[in-house]
Amino acid sequence: MGVTLALPWQDRQGRFSGLRAVVLVLLCLPLLPLLWPWATGTLGPEPIEEAMHETGRWAIRFLLLTLVVTPLGRVLAWPRLFQVRRMLGLGALAWAVLHLGLYVVEQDFVLARVVSEIAKRTYLLIGFAALCGLVVLGWTSTDGWMRRLGRGWKRLHRLVFPIAVLALLHAFIQAKSDVSQAVLLSALFLWLLGWRAVPARWQGHLGALAGLSLAAMLGAAAVEYLWYALATNLPAARVAAANLDLTFGPRPAVLAGMIGLGVVALLGVWRLVGARRAA
């Protein structure tokens, strides 16, 4: 008997799934702002390096988006969303593999040099460890592996959290002095950890979600301060104090808090409209 493989936009029954199609487009969409400038020669003086950095950032974004599925599905009471969690995880893996592939291209396909660089540069070793972890999770994400591993499957796939920490640390070290993107992503990660830590009965409460947004903002500000204090020669205290000054726009941690509170407000409106329709 042959094995029928479902296309990415099909559900388990082989039917077209609008949700999966949207997620597939979402996973591929970031390629456009890379391919067009590359084709037209406007990506910058070092296009491969620029593309490599951007693919790495998208790998982390999609990895964290994979972790967003559970809280979003529960808060919105939308269990169908859980069906695309594996798809998002494999998408994050694909972007991470592309990230490594571009690094190999940058090194002129000299694999011995690639291995040597990874071995002697801490931030590359950290990123490679995160990629290896994603490969393991991607390889064991199938239904067959779920049956083989039984209860151990969930324990194995909880490694996604330390993998995310490694990926974020890689992003911080790679970014050096401008860690705005890494701080924003760290705020989201802290929010996701906090959501999983609160009691289940509070996980959908708007007040608790708003409190988590503020806590994630403060946590990200602390992470930013520690980074500048421990890893750079820049004045960490002045960077931290800049969070109180909105003259030039909000700092990454403050922006993350504002986004979080905005999402909570939209959720409140969503529930209010739903309640009125049901009345």
Side-chain angles (χ1 to χ4, degrees):
M1 183 181 295
V3 178
T4 303
L5 297 177
L7 295 171
W9 53 83
Q10 293 177 333
D11 61 17
R12 290 174 180 269
Q13 288 72 43
R15 298 171 301 192
F16 176 78
S17 168
L19 177 61
R20 293 180 67 86
V22 168
V23 171
L24 180 61
V25 171
L26 176 66
L27 289 169
C28 297
L29 202 57
L31 285 172
L32 293 180
L34 284 177
L35 293 178
W36 177 252
W38 191 312
T40 57
T42 57
L43 194 58
E46 298 181 341
I48 294 177
E49 184 175 354
E50 178 61 31
M52 181 179 63
H53 293 329
E54 192 62 20
T55 53
R57 286 190 285 265
W58 277 109
I60 300 175
R61 289 166 187 158
F62 284 126
L63 176 60
L64 295 183
L65 193 58
T66 305
L67 298 176
V68 169
V69 169
T70 297
L72 190 61
R74 291 184 184 174
V75 169
L76 295 179
W78 190 14
R80 280 190 60 207
L81 196 59
F82 301 146
Q83 299 173 12
V84 300
R85 183 165 41 200
R86 180 189 303 177
M87 189 177 181
L88 283 168
L90 292 175
L93 171 59
W95 278 92
V97 170
L98 179 57
H99 177 61
L100 176 62
L102 286 169
Y103 181 70
V104 174
V105 173
E106 188 188 43
Q107 298 299 318
D108 299 319
F109 296 96
V110 181
L111 297 184
R113 186 193 304 167
V114 171
V115 173
S116 173
E117 289 294 307
I118 291 175
K120 70 183 182 182
R121 298 185 186 276
T122 303
Y123 79 96
L124 292 179
L125 189 59
I126 291 171
F128 187 69
L131 173 59
C132 289
L134 283 178
V135 169
V136 171
L137 297 190
W139 184 264
T140 59
S141 66
T142 63
D143 293 341
W145 274 104
M146 289 179 70
R147 289 192 295 270
R148 286 182 202 139
L149 296 176
R151 294 181 179 178
W153 187 88
K154 282 191 174 182
R155 290 196 295 270
L156 174 64
H157 280 253
R158 287 194 189 104
L159 288 176
V160 68
F161 293 100
I163 288 171
V165 171
L166 290 176
L168 287 169
L169 181 57
H170 173 74
F172 268 98
I173 300 175
Q174 176 66 44
K176 298 177 183 176
S177 59
D178 183 9
V179 293
S180 300
Q181 284 285 324
V183 172
L184 272 172
L185 294 172
S186 295
L188 174 57
F189 183 63
L190 291 171
W191 191 97
L192 291 167
L193 289 179
W195 184 86
R196 285 165 170 82
V198 301
R201 67 180 182 275
W202 291 103
Q203 288 179 341
H205 191 278
L206 293 180
L209 297 177
L212 279 175
S213 298
L214 294 174
M217 178 185 71
L218 294 175
V223 168
E224 183 182 40
Y225 171 81
L226 289 173
W227 172 257
Y228 282 113
L230 300 176
T232 74
N233 294 321
L234 297 175
R238 290 181 62 184
V239 173
N243 286 301
L244 303 176
D245 184 1
L246 301 180
T247 304
F248 300 102
R251 295 284 304 165
V254 177
L255 179 60
M258 293 169 65
I259 293 173
L261 292 175
V263 170
V264 173
L266 288 175
L267 178 59
V269 173
W270 173 280
R271 290 182 177 178
L272 182 61
V273 171
R276 288 186 175 180
R277 286 180 178 176

